[in-house]
């Protein structure tokens, strides 16, 4: 097992692609050790080639699988104190309201379930001390969007969980941050070209720039916590 060599340790779910990859890459550039969580085994192999073992370790599995979460957190805890958890993993489903089926609901709920499971296990592993949890959601958690009814519902659930964690740990060394980004130019919308065209996607935010803005607010030496990060794209 790779050692963190005294580096601060972060867990990033959904680390293989898009925003998760950029958060991972930029944390490593800042001197962190990152435990990356993703179901994409091929991409995890690629990241193992890209990053040395003393700065990155990949875990392949379903973020909503409780046994996988428990085993992974136990292994990461063995490396040292976990300083940061970024719950970034999630899957979308964009359809007209009457187009949704049970499988679509289950798909969207994986992100919410994973957010809860990773938060619970990480809090227990660190004895609820000196931990920052950042829950990456969407601006869909702040409003209702046409043809995103189930996606919005799960993001509103994630927001409710985030706000409840803030209330539970107010005044402690556990800090909880809600992150609400708008549209990002990644493969996130690849199966919904009838809803978000590829041309429109390319007007969305650059994931590297977005990750930089998030981390500037999330990881710094200031004696403060930015509790909510709402980032809207520039409309053209």
């Amino acid at each position: 097992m790779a050692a963190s060599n005294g580096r601060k340790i972060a867990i990033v779910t959904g680390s293989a692609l898009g925003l998760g990859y950029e958060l991972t890459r930029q944390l490593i550039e800042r001197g962190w050790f990152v435990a990356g969580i993703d179901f994409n085994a091929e991409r995890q192999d690629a990241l193992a080639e890209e990053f040395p073992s003393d700065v990155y370790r990949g875990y392949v599995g379903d973020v909503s699988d409780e046994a996988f979460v428990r085993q992974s957190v136990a292994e990461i805890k063995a490396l040292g104190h976990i300083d940061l958890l970024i719950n970034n993993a999630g899957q979308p489903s964009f359809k007209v309201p009457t187009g949704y089926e049970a499988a679509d609901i289950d798909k969207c709920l994986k992100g919410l379930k994973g957010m809860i499971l990773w938060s619970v296990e990480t809090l227990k592993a660190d004895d609820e001390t000196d931990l920052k949890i950042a829950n990456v959601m969407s601006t869909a958690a702040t409003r209702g969007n046409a043809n995103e009814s189930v996606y919005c519902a799960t993001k509103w659930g994630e927001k409710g969980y985030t706000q409840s964690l803030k209330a539970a740990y107010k005044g402690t060394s556990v800090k909880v941050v809600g992150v609400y980004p708008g549209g990002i130019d990644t493969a996130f919308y690849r199966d919904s070209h009838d809803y978000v065209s590829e041309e429109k996607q390319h007007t969305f935010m650059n994931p590297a720039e977005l990750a930089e803005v998030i981390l500037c607010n999330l990881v710094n030496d200031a004696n403060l916590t930015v509790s909510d990060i709402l980032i809207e794209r520039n409309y053209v």
Side-chain angles (χ1 to χ4, degrees):
M1 179 179 292
S4 66
N5 292 335
R7 300 172 184 268
K8 287 188 174 182
I9 297 175
I11 298 173
V12 179
T13 69
S15 64
L17 293 166
L19 178 60
Y21 166 76
E22 286 297 335
L23 290 167
T24 295
R25 182 182 67 81
Q26 293 183 35
L27 278 168
I28 290 171
E29 286 183 351
R30 289 167 177 255
W32 286 66
F33 176 91
V34 177
I37 317 300
D38 208 284
F39 63 82
N40 190 327
E42 183 177 351
R43 276 293 296 162
Q44 287 286 41
D45 288 342
L47 295 187
E49 292 291 326
E50 180 177 356
F51 303 123
S53 61
D54 64 341
V55 298
Y56 183 81
R57 178 176 173 84
Y59 296 79
V60 179
D62 182 344
V63 295
S64 64
D65 181 333
E66 187 172 30
F68 168 67
V69 176
R70 286 179 172 171
Q71 179 178 348
S72 300
V73 172
E75 290 183 12
I76 299 165
K77 173 61 179 174
L79 300 174
H81 181 272
I82 301 168
D83 301 277
L84 174 65
L85 166 65
I86 301 182
N87 284 307
N88 171 72
Q91 293 180 284
S93 182
F94 304 130
K95 296 184 176 182
V96 297
T98 55
Y100 281 104
E101 300 175 348
D104 302 310
I105 301 169
D106 291 340
K107 179 181 179 182
C108 287
L109 283 171
K110 278 183 177 289
L112 172 58
K113 184 177 179 182
M115 178 182 291
I116 295 170
L117 290 175
W118 283 94
S119 297
V120 168
E121 288 304 313
T122 305
L123 283 162
K124 289 193 295 186
D126 275 358
D127 298 320
E128 302 184 358
T129 58
D130 297 324
L131 170 67
K132 183 171 284 186
I133 297 175
N135 291 336
V136 180
M137 294 166 274
S138 164
T139 51
T142 67
R143 57 179 176 252
N145 295 329
N147 299 338
E148 296 184 19
S149 55
V150 170
Y151 182 66
C152 284
T154 54
K155 293 303 171 185
W156 280 55
E158 291 175 10
K159 181 180 181 180
Y161 180 69
T162 301
Q163 295 298 99
S164 295
L165 277 186
K166 288 182 184 181
Y169 290 98
K170 184 177 180 180
T172 74
S173 62
V174 174
K175 305 302 178 186
V176 181
V177 180
V179 184
Y180 305 91
I184 311 169
D185 186 10
T186 69
F188 191 71
Y189 298 93
R190 65 183 177 274
D191 297 327
S192 60
H193 288 170
D194 56 334
Y195 175 55
V196 181
S197 69
E198 194 163 348
E199 180 181 5
K200 182 178 179 181
Q201 289 176 43
H202 293 324
T203 69
F204 290 176
M205 291 183 287
N206 179 286
E209 294 176 348
L210 176 59
E212 183 178 2
V213 170
I214 292 171
L215 291 178
C216 281
N217 285 276
L218 191 62
V219 180
N220 55 62
D221 295 327
N223 185 26
L224 55 81
T225 299
V226 179
S227 61
D228 288 293
I229 307 172
L230 174 64
I231 308 171
E232 297 273 12
R233 67 182 185 272
N234 291 330
Y235 289 85
V236 296

